[in-house]
Amino acid sequence: MKIYKLAQLILMSVLGSNVYADLRIDNDFGNKKVIEVSPGRYRIDSFFDKLEDAVLREIAASNEGVAPNNGLGGRDSAHLIWNGVDYYAWAANYLSSAQDRRNEEDVRLKIDRPVIPGGGICAIFLHDKQLKPVASVKIALPENNYGTWCNGTYALGSAGKSIDGLLLTISYYLTGEKPAQRAADIGKGWRHMTVLLRLQKEATGKIRLVQDDRCLGNPNRYEDILSARRALAKCSK
């Protein structure tokens, strides 16, 4: 099990007060257990699967997204210990409710029209030890006047030594452009970016996830955690 301990740093809360954070990140968790429910009958109990179910329920309960019926495509998750408290982070991409309604209408009317901007959502969900929702944030993609479609989350990890927060690598493409005409061309127009997300605690005790683009920029072309971590290290100096 690899646990990366980040140094104690000052986080600025939304109210401007200082919060001292000790953050540790563990990407190796959720091992499955085989449980005998009756003689000769077994079931697999996995905290990892329970966390996925909790995220799916949270997406389905919102008015902004549609949880996929076949589960979440990526399994970018991490166990966080922040100021001695356990949290579980999960990154996912899914379809917006607006795009889902648009798709149904297009099928019903048999029409073909451009994809609506922002139909694809990438987000991070934070749950507590009992898998109750704590905080979430949708990744902001202002490129092309927000005419973007986020279609994948690839890696979730620590921001590195002496830097608080999480790094998430995503893929997206610009809407309004001509779609791929051949299967071999799918993915050629995709862009990859890594964003920094910080944990913040308000005076009320509420936990927030905040996207911080000040160092890495938005858009950026950091295609993996390591390259983004190096860029953040330069900023910190």
Side-chain angles (χ1 to χ4, degrees):
M1 180 180 294
K2 293 183 179 180
I3 298 180
Y4 303 93
K5 181 162 183 174
L6 305 180
Q8 289 189 339
L9 298 166
I10 299 178
L11 290 177
M12 295 302 296
S13 74
V14 291
L15 298 180
S17 59
N18 292 334
V19 180
Y20 294 87
D22 178 24
L23 175 63
R24 287 179 289 163
I25 301 176
D26 171 21
N27 291 97
D28 183 19
F29 74 96
N31 293 329
K32 294 183 178 181
K33 297 179 182 179
V34 178
I35 298 176
E36 186 174 15
V37 294
S38 62
R41 293 181 65 243
Y42 302 87
R43 69 178 177 87
I44 296 178
D45 183 72
S46 170
F47 181 86
F48 193 93
D49 293 335
K50 291 178 181 178
L51 176 58
E52 180 181 23
D53 290 341
V55 173
L56 286 169
R57 287 194 300 271
E58 188 173 352
I59 296 173
S62 72
N63 294 322
E64 298 180 340
V66 178
N69 294 326
N70 58 347
L72 298 171
R75 291 201 163 191
D76 308 304
S77 56
H79 171 208
L80 315 179
I81 303 176
W82 192 54
N83 289 340
V85 181
D86 293 86
Y87 298 99
Y88 295 88
W90 190 298
N93 69 285
Y94 53 95
L95 197 66
S96 72
S97 297
Q99 180 62 27
D100 186 59
R101 291 191 296 269
R102 171 79 167 267
N103 287 346
E104 291 183 354
E105 184 180 5
D106 289 352
V107 171
R108 179 175 59 85
L109 298 177
K110 297 180 180 180
I111 59 176
D112 184 19
R113 51 184 168 176
V115 170
I116 63 171
I121 297 173
C122 288
I124 286 189
F125 299 88
L126 195 67
H127 288 73
D128 64 14
K129 200 171 183 178
Q130 286 72 43
L131 299 185
K132 295 180 181 179
V134 173
S136 65
V137 61
K138 293 188 295 184
I139 304 304
L141 298 170
E143 189 174 359
N144 194 34
N145 195 28
Y146 290 91
T148 52
W149 185 286
C150 199
N151 62 349
T153 58
Y154 292 90
L156 178 66
S158 70
K161 292 183 178 179
S162 302
I163 302 174
D164 66 284
L166 301 169
L167 286 172
L168 171 66
T169 301
I170 63 171
S171 68
Y172 66 98
Y173 60 85
L174 306 184
T175 60
E177 296 186 349
K178 188 176 181 180
Q181 301 300 303
R182 303 177 304 167
D185 295 330
I186 296 176
K188 287 186 177 180
W190 294 2
R191 306 185 178 204
H192 294 82
M193 179 168 69
T194 300
V195 296
L196 172 65
L197 298 134
R198 297 184 184 273
L199 278 166
Q200 293 185 350
K201 188 173 184 179
E202 297 180 351
T204 59
K206 182 179 179 180
I207 305 298
R208 297 179 68 231
L209 280 167
V210 179
Q211 182 175 332
D212 185 353
D213 296 327
R214 290 174 297 177
C215 173
L216 298 179
N218 190 339
N220 68 58
R221 295 295 174 259
Y222 301 110
E223 298 188 359
D224 53 54
I225 298 292
L226 183 58
S227 59
R229 192 178 289 160
R230 288 170 177 165
L232 284 171
K234 291 181 179 179
C235 280
S236 66
K237 293 178 182 179

